[in-house]
Amino acid sequence: MVKGRVAVITGIPGAGKSTVLNELKRIAGKIGKGIRVVNFGTEMVKIAEQKSGVLHRDEIRHKPIPFQNQLQTEAAKEIAKMTGEGSIVIVDTHMMVRTESGYWAGLPSHVITELKPDLFILIEADPEEIFKRRSTDKTRMRDKVLMSDIREEIEFSRAFAATCGTLTGAPVKIVRNPAGRQVEAAEEILKLL
Amino acid sequence: MVKGRVAVITGIPGAGKSTVLNELKRIAGKIGKGIRVVNFGTEMVKIAEQKSGVLHRDEIRHKPIPFQNQLQTEAAKEIAKMTGEGSIVIVDTHMMVRTESGYWAGLPSHVITELKPDLFILIEADPEEIFKRRSTDKTRMRDKVLMSDIREEIEFSRAFAATCGTLTGAPVKIVRNPAGRQVEAAEEILKLL
Amino acid sequence: MVKGRVAVITGIPGAGKSTVLNELKRIAGKIGKGIRVVNFGTEMVKIAEQKSGVLHRDEIRHKPIPFQNQLQTEAAKEIAKMTGEGSIVIVDTHMMVRTESGYWAGLPSHVITELKPDLFILIEADPEEIFKRRSTDKTRMRDKVLMSDIREEIEFSRAFAATCGTLTGAPVKIVRNPAGRQVEAAEEILKLL
């Protein structure tokens, strides 16, 4: 990928996004590939702090939706500016966020318009694999894990991604991350960058 | 949901949208929750009457598409105005309409732009359940019911909903409505409002 | 369909789009139905030639993305002009293009905005049928064919199509093309035009 461009990396919980991202940073460092990984949520918190002294992600989540949308737009603008510095910017974020009130687009049109991504990556694993990872993940204090929920999340993530692809004209790439294959997944992503 | 906001409720034929909506109105009335349920098609007919003396839904369906789109836009504007009155507006409509000429978005971008929904609800049931309901529904004079068609309709409704979610930034909530559980479905929706 | 309008016809490799299009042209000719079939890629090449002496599709594919997007926009504008001539314009193109860098929308928003299609047709066949057609297609020098890939392509094509339907308000029609039924498929399309 040409320097100064933006790749978005997403994956539902249990798909192994963090693992792949860590591998990606490690390999890129080793081979001297200039990438900059930015966490979208962290950028939002930074802007919230500057604007109004909000300090935690959880505080943002309890603010009115228009405020949150405004934060998203500003975070997208800030990240888009980073491409001016010539590096490849990797945005660590969500294609879809599942909450009690439904599936939220992680990349709604007001974000896409500012961020102008050049590539959308969906890190995926088999529903059975995701089920196993979620079931053994003690840190997340999840609700009961259901296979049908996992399948639905994968389906919705893809549908949201297709919309992103139509709105921007950028490709949607599915990167498979089966158990123990995070190095291969990271290498596959590196080839695209 | 904050008063003065819009929730869209949709469901394919046989998902039980009307049953859940009736339950929703009943419970909301009982507990004194201020909601206003508006049928999108009825609003279109009202506007058509005022504009040009068109009286029936079937007449609208035979008008040119640009005329129908214009009606949709104006109906969306009228409904959006109702939110100014402070109540929660529930819009009873379709996420997707199946006709001989294909799947039509019930909430195309020209409607969404004016309506600005804060929540999209898809009432869903198992394809087998929908099949049973459609097969025994004598009033609708349907064509032969096929399980594959039902699955396709559910899939397309979700894909249309994901687009709505990206365009607006509002969440897409799936509310399950299995046989005999319309009260639970209505209560789940009430909690979101 | 009213003269002066645009129908887009798409299908993944192996769905039988070319076969159906040929049948469509043959039948339309026989019954004297005025349709004009335009290949979107060919229009892009024509414009590329006029602009910069680019001669082959493969050359275009190696140009920077913004250049390709510009070509797409101009091709869409040219095709939209053809509707002024009163005929029904059939655009032969892709809903989704699979490459190493991911799934690309064949009809991204910058194309849709100019082309303003009135109908999106997805020619589909069973994954098993597509598998068989791809496996025996010697001319395309394909990679190994996987059933899971075919299912994924069908799913993404539908998701992209749903976005197109929401953005334009035009219907998405699935036309089934099982083995040996291309005449029926073409006749089904003709009825829509």
Side-chain angles (χ1 to χ4, degrees):
Chain A
M1 199 157 76
V2 181
K3 287 208 171 199
R5 306 190 80 192
V6 176
V8 164
I9 298 193
T10 70
I12 63 171
K17 183 182 63 165
S18 308
T19 316
V20 173
L21 270 172
N22 285 337
E23 210 54 56
L24 184 66
K25 284 185 266 191
R26 195 185 60 79
I27 302 174
K30 216 170 75 179
I31 64 173
K33 177 114 185 168
I35 63 167
R36 177 170 178 177
V37 180
V38 184
N39 182 287
F40 195 83
T42 306
E43 285 303 308
M44 281 177 69
V45 172
K46 272 190 211 164
I47 290 163
E49 281 178 38
Q50 291 160 13
K51 279 172 81 97
S52 54
V54 174
L55 288 172
H56 291 291
R57 280 188 198 208
D58 289 345
E59 277 190 69
I60 294 176
R61 278 186 204 122
H62 294 102
K63 294 274 176 189
I65 301 297
F67 176 84
Q68 294 190 41
N69 287 348
Q70 184 57 32
L71 274 189
Q72 285 184 318
T73 303
E74 293 184 29
K77 278 184 189 169
E78 281 307 310
I79 297 170
K81 279 186 205 159
M82 296 172 193
T83 62
E85 298 156 25
S87 58
I88 294 167
V89 178
I90 311 279
V91 185
D92 172 6
T93 188
H94 305 283
M95 185 53 77
M96 184 270 296
V97 181
R98 180 185 199 122
T99 72
E100 278 299 302
S101 46
Y103 293 125
W104 298 75
L107 294 152
S109 61
H110 62 270
V111 168
I112 288 174
T113 305
E114 298 300 337
L115 195 57
K116 298 183 185 68
D118 301 285
L119 174 61
F120 297 94
I121 294 171
L122 293 176
I123 295 177
E124 288 193 2
D126 283 337
E128 293 75 15
E129 179 70 31
I130 292 174
F131 180 87
K132 214 193 300 175
R133 292 177 190 163
R134 288 194 189 179
S135 304
T136 55
D137 183 348
K138 305 287 184 222
T139 64
R140 302 202 199 194
M141 306 208 306
R142 292 184 188 293
D143 302 326
K144 191 159 152 266
V145 181
L146 294 173
M147 281 295 290
S148 56
D149 284 348
I150 296 171
R151 290 209 180 85
E152 199 174 282
E153 289 174 33
I154 293 172
E155 182 188 348
F156 265 99
S157 296
R158 290 178 172 194
F160 279 118
T163 306
C164 289
T166 297
L167 292 180
T168 58
V172 174
K173 176 70 179 178
I174 292 180
V175 172
R176 308 282 311 155
N177 180 38
R181 309 288 283 181
Q182 62 270 25
V183 174
E184 287 80 354
E187 283 170 347
E188 190 179 350
I189 293 171
L190 266 173
K191 273 197 283 181
L192 300 172
L193 301 179
Chain B
M1 200 157 77
V2 182
K3 286 209 171 198
R5 305 191 81 192
V6 176
V8 165
I9 299 194
T10 69
I12 63 171
K17 182 183 62 165
S18 307
T19 316
V20 173
L21 270 171
N22 285 336
E23 210 55 57
L24 184 66
K25 284 184 267 192
R26 195 185 60 79
I27 302 174
K30 215 170 75 179
I31 64 172
K33 177 117 183 166
I35 63 166
R36 176 171 180 178
V37 179
V38 184
N39 182 288
F40 195 83
T42 306
E43 284 303 308
M44 281 177 69
V45 172
K46 273 192 211 163
I47 290 163
E49 280 178 39
Q50 291 161 10
K51 277 172 83 96
S52 54
V54 174
L55 289 172
H56 291 291
R57 279 186 199 209
D58 290 345
E59 276 188 71
I60 293 175
R61 278 187 204 123
H62 293 103
K63 293 275 176 188
I65 301 298
F67 176 84
Q68 294 189 40
N69 288 348
Q70 184 56 32
L71 274 188
Q72 284 183 319
T73 303
E74 294 185 27
K77 279 184 189 170
E78 282 307 310
I79 297 170
K81 279 186 204 160
M82 297 172 192
T83 63
E85 299 156 24
S87 58
I88 293 168
V89 178
I90 312 279
V91 184
D92 172 7
T93 188
H94 305 283
M95 185 53 79
M96 185 270 297
V97 181
R98 181 186 198 120
T99 72
E100 280 298 303
S101 46
Y103 292 124
W104 298 75
L107 295 152
S109 61
H110 62 270
V111 168
I112 289 173
T113 305
E114 299 298 338
L115 195 57
K116 298 184 186 67
D118 301 284
L119 174 60
F120 296 94
I121 294 170
L122 292 176
I123 295 177
E124 288 193 2
D126 284 336
E128 293 73 16
E129 180 69 32
I130 292 174
F131 180 87
K132 214 193 300 173
R133 291 177 192 164
R134 287 193 190 179
S135 304
T136 54
D137 183 347
K138 304 291 184 218
T139 64
R140 301 202 201 195
M141 305 209 306
R142 292 184 189 290
D143 303 326
K144 193 158 150 266
V145 180
L146 294 173
M147 280 295 290
S148 56
D149 284 348
I150 295 171
R151 290 208 181 85
E152 199 174 284
E153 289 174 33
I154 293 172
E155 183 188 347
F156 265 99
S157 296
R158 290 178 171 194
F160 279 119
T163 306
C164 289
T166 297
L167 292 180
T168 59
V172 174
K173 176 70 178 178
I174 292 181
V175 172
R176 309 281 311 156
N177 180 38
R181 310 287 284 182
Q182 62 269 26
V183 174
E184 287 81 353
E187 283 170 347
E188 190 179 349
I189 293 171
L190 267 173
K191 273 197 283 181
L192 300 172
L193 300 179
Chain C
M1 200 158 75
V2 182
K3 287 206 171 199
R5 305 191 80 191
V6 176
V8 165
I9 298 192
T10 69
I12 63 171
K17 182 182 63 165
S18 307
T19 315
V20 173
L21 270 172
N22 285 335
E23 210 55 56
L24 184 67
K25 284 185 266 190
R26 195 185 61 78
I27 302 174
K30 216 170 76 180
I31 64 172
K33 178 116 183 168
I35 63 167
R36 177 171 177 177
V37 180
V38 184
N39 183 289
F40 195 84
T42 306
E43 285 303 308
M44 281 178 69
V45 172
K46 273 190 211 165
I47 290 162
E49 281 178 37
Q50 290 160 11
K51 278 173 82 98
S52 55
V54 174
L55 289 171
H56 291 291
R57 280 185 198 210
D58 289 345
E59 276 189 70
I60 294 175
R61 278 185 204 124
H62 293 103
K63 294 273 176 188
I65 301 298
F67 176 84
Q68 294 188 40
N69 288 348
Q70 184 57 31
L71 274 190
Q72 284 183 320
T73 303
E74 293 185 28
K77 279 185 187 169
E78 282 305 310
I79 297 170
K81 279 186 204 160
M82 296 172 192
T83 62
E85 300 157 22
S87 58
I88 293 167
V89 178
I90 311 279
V91 184
D92 172 7
T93 189
H94 305 283
M95 185 53 77
M96 184 270 297
V97 181
R98 181 187 198 120
T99 72
E100 279 299 302
S101 46
Y103 293 124
W104 298 75
L107 295 152
S109 61
H110 62 271
V111 167
I112 288 173
T113 305
E114 299 298 338
L115 194 59
K116 297 183 186 67
D118 301 285
L119 173 61
F120 297 95
I121 294 171
L122 292 176
I123 295 176
E124 287 193 2
D126 284 336
E128 293 74 15
E129 179 71 33
I130 292 174
F131 181 85
K132 213 193 300 175
R133 291 177 191 162
R134 288 194 188 178
S135 304
T136 54
D137 182 348
K138 304 288 185 222
T139 63
R140 302 203 201 193
M141 306 209 304
R142 293 184 188 292
D143 302 326
K144 192 157 151 267
V145 181
L146 294 174
M147 280 295 290
S148 57
D149 284 348
I150 295 171
R151 290 208 181 85
E152 198 174 283
E153 290 175 32
I154 293 172
E155 183 187 349
F156 265 100
S157 296
R158 290 178 172 194
F160 279 119
T163 306
C164 289
T166 297
L167 291 180
T168 59
V172 174
K173 176 69 179 178
I174 292 182
V175 172
R176 308 280 313 156
N177 180 38
R181 308 289 284 182
Q182 63 269 26
V183 174
E184 286 81 355
E187 283 171 347
E188 191 179 351
I189 293 172
L190 266 173
K191 273 197 282 181
L192 300 172
L193 301 179

